[in-house]
Amino acid sequence: MSIDENENAQQPGEFDLIARLRRQVAAHPWVELGIGDDCAVLKAPGAGSLLVTTDMLMEGRHFLLDDCEAEDVGYKAMAVNLSDIAAMGGRPLAAFVAVALPRDRAAGLMEGLGRGLIGLADQFGVALAGGDTNAWDGPLVISVTLLGETGPRGAVTRSGALPGDRVIVTGPLGGSLLGRHLRPTPRISEARILVDAVEIHAMIDLSDGLASDLAHILEESGGLGAILEDVPIHDDARRAAERDGRSALDHALSDGEDFELCATLSPGDLARLRENSPSGLRIHPIGVVTQEPGIFLRTAEGGLEPLKARGFDHLKGARR
Ligand code: ADP
Ligand code: MG
């Protein structure tokens, strides 16, 4: 929908850009009709429920083109949506991509975006099935909508946590803004291993930071709380701590953009999972869900310290 080709005769127009993208997109069993018509026609496998998610990245807010390549932006726009499908325990099917391109750099940016988008989509068997392409005098904006199918036991929501559940995460946390945040690995296969192996009660992907994302699970599950005992700290969190004087644990608790999964499950299921230790999955048990609201940290001395006192409120305000 509409780059005016007359405004700049040297620049390729909307249809050229779409045609170039289309040539890079392979046939896909779920796509009866893909890029090129007014709508895509999808053959959703089975007749189960569909997962649908959208995320938008805006230049100047979510990324700076001085710090990264258009390919990174395309990769990340796809990755954050894949991460949302993973958080529901689903399998991604087809993506739709809407872009607003800065007019003077439209072709180069679109090519880079396409590389990042299609590279990651191919890796996860996702069809790039449609979208919309515009150019303007504003910054780069990209929005990806991703469809997925639910897992064998339906969608895993945020709202199913129970008191006594164990809380797990799929990897060490914190410091992702030192670079890792550009290329997060969507935990699609980890989520599938989890939901196939045991009954996951609640799950979320860590985009805003453990403290804030775990709070979403606890609130949605009827106002529960949690005690955190052993939060795995990423090396990047230690490096970030050396730079800014905050503790590495603070980074692990409050930094965003880890894109690991945080899930809750019964103690029995956690034990089962750890006995079988399925390959391709790292599980870090980090604590327990409590009836009492509030998130607390178990200190080295065995006491409980409320998380809020560690300042995640003001850090939340500092998030990009
Ligand atoms: P319409 O006239 O229906 O608005 P467009 O001219 O916007 O269609 O798009 C033509 C075709 O190209 C459609 O199939 C659309 O889904 C696809 N398309 C446009 N932009 C993109 C994009 N950025 N990524 C993937 N597909 C796209
Ligand atoms: Mg049309």
Side-chain angles (χ1 to χ4, degrees):
M1 257 273 309
S2 75
I3 296 176
D4 187 342
E5 290 183 62
N6 297 329
E7 272 182 54
N8 195 338
Q10 292 94 320
Q11 299 277 347
E14 167 199 3
F15 297 115
D16 297 322
L17 295 185
I18 296 171
R20 284 183 201 171
L21 191 72
R22 184 179 182 177
R23 281 196 290 274
Q24 299 170 60
V25 171
H28 197 283
W30 296 316
V31 180
E32 240 171 71
L33 185 60
I35 293 176
D37 215 307
D38 293 313
C39 287
V41 182
L42 299 183
K43 222 186 303 209
S49 309
L50 279 182
L51 301 168
V52 185
T53 182
T54 296
D55 255 300
M56 180 161 71
L57 300 183
M58 298 151 74
E59 183 181 0
R61 162 132 187 100
H62 301 98
F63 62 88
L64 298 172
L65 283 172
D66 289 344
D67 298 347
C68 68
E69 304 292 327
E71 184 172 344
D72 297 321
V73 177
Y75 177 103
K76 186 161 177 184
M78 184 65 70
V80 296
N81 281 280
L82 287 165
S83 182
D84 282 324
I85 296 285
M88 304 296 281
R91 184 158 67 126
L93 300 176
F96 295 80
V97 177
V99 291
L101 300 165
R103 203 185 300 279
D104 55 338
R105 296 169 290 158
L109 287 175
M110 187 69 166
E111 201 200 310
L113 290 174
R115 269 200 310 274
L117 287 163
I118 294 169
L120 193 57
D122 285 350
Q123 215 175 303
F124 285 92
V126 171
L128 180 55
D132 193 25
T133 303
N134 293 279
W136 69 333
D137 294 322
L140 175 62
V141 180
I142 175 168
S143 169
V144 173
T145 299
L146 187 56
L147 308 188
E149 60 175 339
T150 55
R153 293 176 235 227
V156 181
T157 64
R158 297 176 179 185
S159 61
L162 296 170
D165 273 2
R166 300 298 136 146
V167 184
I168 60 172
V169 294
T170 52
L173 307 177
S176 81
L177 290 180
L178 292 187
R180 189 165 111 245
H181 70 110
L182 286 174
R183 293 274 171 168
T185 304
R187 299 302 185 194
I188 293 282
S189 66
E190 289 81 355
R192 287 309 290 239
I193 294 169
L194 278 173
V195 299
D196 284 345
V198 291
E199 193 185 323
I200 298 299
H201 290 166
M203 189 148 64
I204 192 167
D205 66 319
L206 298 178
S207 54
D208 292 337
L210 177 65
S212 135
D213 290 322
L214 176 59
H216 291 313
I217 286 186
L218 300 171
E219 278 156 27
E220 296 293 326
S221 299
L224 302 175
I227 297 172
L228 300 180
E229 282 151 356
D230 190 12
V231 175
I233 294 171
H234 198 283
D235 284 344
D236 288 342
R238 298 185 210 284
R239 287 201 292 138
E242 280 167 22
R243 293 184 184 194
D244 65 12
R246 283 169 50 205
S247 76
L249 179 59
D250 268 342
H251 280 284
L253 291 169
S254 331
D255 288 357
E257 315 239 344
D258 284 308
F259 297 106
E260 297 293 348
L261 298 172
C262 174
T264 85
L265 70 177
S266 72
D269 270 346
L270 175 59
R272 221 157 296 138
L273 206 52
R274 300 190 86 179
E275 268 162 37
N276 301 341
S277 64
S279 66
L281 177 66
R282 285 194 297 177
I283 313 162
H284 304 262
I286 63 169
V288 58
V289 177
T290 59
Q291 185 77 60
E292 279 297 298
I295 303 179
F296 294 85
L297 278 179
R298 178 89 62 203
T299 62
E301 299 75 38
L304 293 180
E305 185 183 320
L307 210 55
K308 225 180 166 127
R310 304 181 71 89
F312 85 82
D313 266 2
H314 88 94
L315 292 172
K316 214 157 96 179
R319 179 113 317 112
R320 290 179 316 153

